[in-house]
Amino acid sequence: MRAFKARRLITQVLHWTTGVLLYLLLSVDDRIFGVLGWAFVVSGGALCLLWLCLGLLNKGPGPALDGVLRKAHPWLSRGMYLLLGWAVVALAAGAVARPLPGPEPRTALLVLGAAALFHAIFHLWRHTALRDGALRRIIPAKLHKYL
């Protein structure tokens, strides 16, 4: 149980750190990489590594979600991790002057940002419309009283 709590806390910290860094990166000129970009690469890379080594933290969509969304839920989660991994690798490769073939790193960040926005809206909808406590999984326990 203690290992699960530690993993959950690490996942929460990396999730929110990566999200904030993503939107900070999207708000600055793409020629400015520096510490902000490397922080995103490290936190996003650590989150992806955690997923690759230990799998998804959530153990399913919960009973309130049904139908197509229930079946799609784990695949949507995996898709988010794949987009994050693509953005991390593209940004790191571009930073060391070895850009990947295909879209620019900025495009990868924009695609990830759009997907993250839909991800947030989906979980806000789940938490408010389905009342399944979806936000409690990713928000630290000390903040649950505000949900």
Side-chain angles (χ1 to χ4, degrees), residues 59-66 70 73 126 132 137:
K59 299 299 180 200
L65 196 62
D66 60 3
R70 183 175 184 79
H73 184 270
R126 282 183 61 191
D132 70 350
R137 292 180 177 179

Side-chain angles (χ1 to χ4, degrees), residues 5-6 12 15 19 29 32 39 46 53 64-65 79 90 96 99 108 113-114 121-122 134 139:
K5 284 186 177 185
Q12 289 172 341
H15 176 272
D29 187 342
I32 301 171
C53 293
L65 196 62
V96 295
I121 290 168
F122 173 70
I139 292 178

